[in-house]
Amino acid sequence: MKAYISDPEDLKQDSTYQEIWDNMIINFLAESLDVVNDNVWVISLGDAFARQYDLYATSDGHSALLHRCLGMLLQKVDDRIYVREKIDLMCRHSSMSIPVNRLGLAQGIGLVAASHLDTVLEKLKNILENAGQSALQRFLSFFSFREKVEDVDDTYAALALMYGYAARYAPSTVIEARINALVGTDMLGRFLHVQHPTAKQAVITAIDLLGRAVISAAEIGISFPLQRRDQLLEYVLTLMGRDQSDDLVDFSIELLQTQTVALSACTTLVSIEPRLPMETRNRVMKATLGFFALPTEPSNIVESLITNLIILLGAILLTSGEDGRSRAEQLLHILRQLDPYVSASAEHQRRRGCVAVHEVLVKFRNLCSGGFGASGSYPTLSLKHIDQGGPRGSSSLPSAFVLPNRDSLSLGERIMAYLPRCADTDDEVRKVAIQVCVESSRFAFLYLPQLISSVQCAIF
């Protein structure tokens, strides 16, 4: 392993190569452990992994892979004392100030939780208590003029990720009580005071992982609502760094990255039970729609952020209504909120607004017709757990339940709002606007069976 992580030139060419190779090694190890299935050999391999730590400095980010390997191995060990010792070893040989290292540690601890959840949670509780004492010491140091203690942001970031991955990898059959206890104690609220952008991203990722754990459980038939889901959404919006105004004054790369991660977490949270109430929906949309006004640079980060925002709008549309009429009202609410960007003076805002409108319309039409999404300029607005048999899928419902009232769609109003964009000065805006108008007109075809039935009744 030490030879493997010696940074060969091919891995330096593309950062994704490293992740691909790491995952291949983890998968190979998992297969080997299943095939050999010998407890003595597993223990000896675990001891060999433990000795590998001496080859790395605590600040060496490459030890992240070693954490994951040891975590995968500890899944196969029944000796609780041995597992505790190795968890302690992993924590001692990890520098939580290095994002890649604490991510590897969190993933490794999460893998252990797949078989030893209570042991992992006990360890994390102890770390959290010690971190709280350090935070108090840091606060008192400002008044006693003693030497300032080490910042606890990194510890909180690592802890949040470890809790998140523990929930993500833990067995779905036992995760409900653990998640409810974790959220119910408001432990995550203690992490809201982190200041460094990477620490904020770590806490947001942890909340996202909690939501995904609920989704994974629902996919195998273990459905339960996420307690305090709306409060977790508030946590994400707080860490995202936006208030309820639409002012955009900070375009730093780190903040944009944090906001991109936050939008993804919001999508996860609004996609699970309980159903999103109108007040929370409005809060989320008010805090996020202003991103359509972001400048175009840095293009790669901003485009990723806008993509996540459009996906979030699609998730809100799918999960905020219970029948055709309520979803039509939700659709109109979203479209009217997008109108200022569709008609904005800046070309990039008009382009983003039109793309968002087109994607939301496609999602709504497919929802009504029981089909699946089609892609436009941005990735299709779809969440696997919603579109493919999730707890809120509507394809099995009768069309009378899914299909809204024809008048409630306000198709004439909508088409009039988008027609001017069909003659826009920007080629891309014109192209998408035409698609929007075509998509709007397609809704009329959804009502053909109703019209035919009405005519038949009038004749006979």
Side-chain angles (χ1 to χ4, degrees), residues 16-119:
T16 60
Y17 289 173
Q18 184 77 47
E19 181 179 357
I20 292 172
W21 277 100
D22 286 359
N23 290 335
M24 289 176 64
I25 287 181
I26 295 297
N27 292 334
F28 176 75
L29 174 62
E31 292 289 341
S32 301
L33 292 170
D34 288 338
V35 170
V36 176
N37 194 25
D38 182 271
N39 188 61
V40 175
W41 179 77
V42 171
I43 293 292
S44 64
L45 182 59
D47 292 336
F49 278 139
R51 290 191 294 271
Q52 285 278 314
Y53 279 108
D54 294 335
L55 302 178
Y56 304 87
T58 56
S59 60
D60 191 342
H62 289 117
S63 59
L65 175 62
L66 187 54
H67 296 320
R68 295 175 63 191
C69 288
L70 190 54
M72 178 64 70
L73 180 139
L74 291 177
Q75 287 184 8
K76 309 296 183 180
V77 178
D78 295 328
D79 189 336
R80 189 172 182 180
I81 296 177
Y82 183 88
V83 171
R84 283 177 174 172
E85 291 176 351
K86 291 300 181 282
I87 291 177
D88 291 340
L89 180 73
M90 294 165 68
C91 294
R92 287 198 307 269
H93 287 83
S94 177
S95 176
M96 296 182 183
S97 62
I98 300 177
V100 66
N101 207 330
R102 67 179 175 228
L103 176 60
L105 175 65
Q107 292 174 333
I109 295 296
L111 289 169
V112 180
S115 300
H116 305 281
L117 179 59
D118 290 331
T119 301

Side-chain angles (χ1 to χ4, degrees), residues 198-231:
T198 57
K200 291 182 178 182
Q201 293 169 27
V203 177
I204 293 171
T205 299
I207 295 174
D208 188 22
L209 289 168
L210 288 177
R212 292 182 182 276
V214 176
I215 291 170
S216 295
E219 288 176 343
I220 62 172
I222 307 174
S223 299
F224 58 91
L226 179 60
Q227 291 187 6
R228 300 191 183 183
R229 191 277 314 278
D230 292 356
Q231 186 178 45

Side-chain angles (χ1 to χ4, degrees), residues 64-268:
L65 175 62
L66 187 54
H67 296 320
R68 295 175 63 191
C69 288
L70 190 54
M72 178 64 70
L73 180 139
L74 291 177
Q75 287 184 8
K76 309 296 183 180
V77 178
D78 295 328
D79 189 336
R80 189 172 182 180
I81 296 177
Y82 183 88
V83 171
R84 283 177 174 172
E85 291 176 351
K86 291 300 181 282
I87 291 177
D88 291 340
L89 180 73
M90 294 165 68
C91 294
R92 287 198 307 269
H93 287 83
S94 177
S95 176
M96 296 182 183
S97 62
I98 300 177
V100 66
N101 207 330
R102 67 179 175 228
L103 176 60
L105 175 65
Q107 292 174 333
I109 295 296
L111 289 169
V112 180
S115 300
H116 305 281
L117 179 59
D118 290 331
T119 301
V120 167
L121 293 179
E122 179 185 348
K123 176 64 177 179
L124 297 184
K125 180 181 178 182
N126 293 335
I127 297 175
L128 180 61
E129 290 173 351
N130 292 331
Q133 294 174 2
S134 299
L136 177 62
Q137 293 171 358
R138 178 178 63 177
F139 175 76
L140 294 176
S141 69
F142 287 106
F143 300 95
S144 62
F145 299 102
R146 291 179 297 180
E147 183 179 356
K148 189 176 180 179
V149 298
E150 182 180 358
D151 197 341
V152 298
D153 274 17
D154 295 329
T155 303
Y156 277 166
L159 264 173
L161 282 175
M162 284 189 277
Y163 274 112
Y165 277 104
R168 187 71 179 91
Y169 292 144
S172 297
T173 53
V174 300
I175 198 60
E176 179 180 2
R178 306 308 194 279
I179 290 182
N180 289 342
L182 180 64
V183 176
T185 57
D186 199 28
M187 183 276 296
L188 291 171
R190 299 176 61 177
F191 297 151
L192 295 181
H193 302 293
V194 295
Q195 298 298 319
H196 196 277
T198 57
K200 291 182 178 182
Q201 293 169 27
V203 177
I204 293 171
T205 299
I207 295 174
D208 188 22
L209 289 168
L210 288 177
R212 292 182 182 276
V214 176
I215 291 170
S216 295
E219 288 176 343
I220 62 172
I222 307 174
S223 299
F224 58 91
L226 179 60
Q227 291 187 6
R228 300 191 183 183
R229 191 277 314 278
D230 292 356
Q231 186 178 45
L232 293 180
L233 275 168
E234 288 290 338
Y235 288 171
V236 172
L237 296 179
T238 299
L239 291 165
M240 185 175 69
R242 291 291 308 280
D243 55 25
Q244 294 195 24
S245 69
D246 290 329
D247 296 333
L248 297 171
V249 296
D250 190 345
F251 304 135
S252 68
I253 291 178
E254 290 179 328
L255 178 59
L256 290 173
Q257 290 172 333
T258 301
Q259 291 166 341
T260 301
V261 176
L263 289 172
S264 179
C266 286
T267 299
T268 298

Side-chain angles (χ1 to χ4, degrees), residues 267 270-271 310-320 381 383 386:
T267 299
V270 304
S271 304
I310 295 176
I311 293 174
L312 172 61
L313 293 179
I316 290 175
L317 173 65
L318 287 171
T319 58
S320 295
L381 303 182
L383 291 172
I386 297 177

Side-chain angles (χ1 to χ4, degrees), residues 163-443:
Y163 274 112
Y165 277 104
R168 187 71 179 91
Y169 292 144
S172 297
T173 53
V174 300
I175 198 60
E176 179 180 2
R178 306 308 194 279
I179 290 182
N180 289 342
L182 180 64
V183 176
T185 57
D186 199 28
M187 183 276 296
L188 291 171
R190 299 176 61 177
F191 297 151
L192 295 181
H193 302 293
V194 295
Q195 298 298 319
H196 196 277
T198 57
K200 291 182 178 182
Q201 293 169 27
V203 177
I204 293 171
T205 299
I207 295 174
D208 188 22
L209 289 168
L210 288 177
R212 292 182 182 276
V214 176
I215 291 170
S216 295
E219 288 176 343
I220 62 172
I222 307 174
S223 299
F224 58 91
L226 179 60
Q227 291 187 6
R228 300 191 183 183
R229 191 277 314 278
D230 292 356
Q231 186 178 45
L232 293 180
L233 275 168
E234 288 290 338
Y235 288 171
V236 172
L237 296 179
T238 299
L239 291 165
M240 185 175 69
R242 291 291 308 280
D243 55 25
Q244 294 195 24
S245 69
D246 290 329
D247 296 333
L248 297 171
V249 296
D250 190 345
F251 304 135
S252 68
I253 291 178
E254 290 179 328
L255 178 59
L256 290 173
Q257 290 172 333
T258 301
Q259 291 166 341
T260 301
V261 176
L263 289 172
S264 179
C266 286
T267 299
T268 298
L269 292 175
V270 304
S271 304
I272 55 182
E273 297 291 347
R275 188 173 296 280
L276 194 67
M278 185 177 297
E279 181 180 353
T280 303
R281 177 205 69 179
N282 293 340
R283 169 77 175 99
V284 172
M285 291 184 63
K286 189 173 183 63
T288 58
L289 281 177
F291 291 133
F292 280 115
L294 283 171
T296 57
E297 297 295 336
S299 60
N300 58 330
I301 299 177
V302 172
E303 287 303 304
S304 178
L305 187 151
I306 297 299
T307 296
N308 284 358
L309 175 55
I310 295 176
I311 293 174
L312 172 61
L313 293 179
I316 290 175
L317 173 65
L318 287 171
T319 58
S320 295
E322 298 181 355
D323 54 21
R325 184 175 183 82
S326 62
R327 286 199 174 96
E329 293 173 352
Q330 180 63 53
L331 172 68
L332 284 177
H333 177 76
I334 293 175
L335 295 180
R336 286 167 178 163
Q337 296 299 310
L338 292 173
D339 282 350
Y341 304 101
V342 171
S343 59
S345 58
E347 289 183 353
H348 67 277
Q349 291 186 33
R350 298 200 301 274
R351 190 180 309 118
R352 293 167 182 171
C354 288
V355 168
V357 166
H358 181 251
E359 290 288 359
V360 172
L361 286 174
V362 169
K363 177 59 63 179
F364 184 77
R365 177 171 58 83
N366 287 321
L367 181 65
C368 292
S369 61
F372 297 93
S375 60
S377 301
Y378 287 86
T380 303
L381 303 182
S382 62
L383 291 172
K384 182 178 180 181
H385 58 283
I386 297 177
D387 281 346
Q388 299 180 6
R392 291 182 178 174
S394 302
S395 59
S396 61
L397 297 174
S399 60
F401 180 84
V402 177
L403 201 61
N405 181 282
R406 182 172 54 180
D407 295 334
S408 65
L409 291 175
S410 302
L411 294 179
E413 170 197 318
R414 291 294 87 211
I415 293 177
M416 290 298 294
Y418 309 130
L419 274 177
R421 301 281 67 81
C422 295
D424 198 275
T425 56
D426 183 84
D427 291 341
E428 185 64 23
V429 172
R430 288 200 305 272
K431 175 183 175 182
V432 180
I434 292 172
Q435 293 175 339
V436 167
C437 291
V438 170
E439 193 62 44
S440 298
S441 65
R442 285 178 178 172
F443 284 108

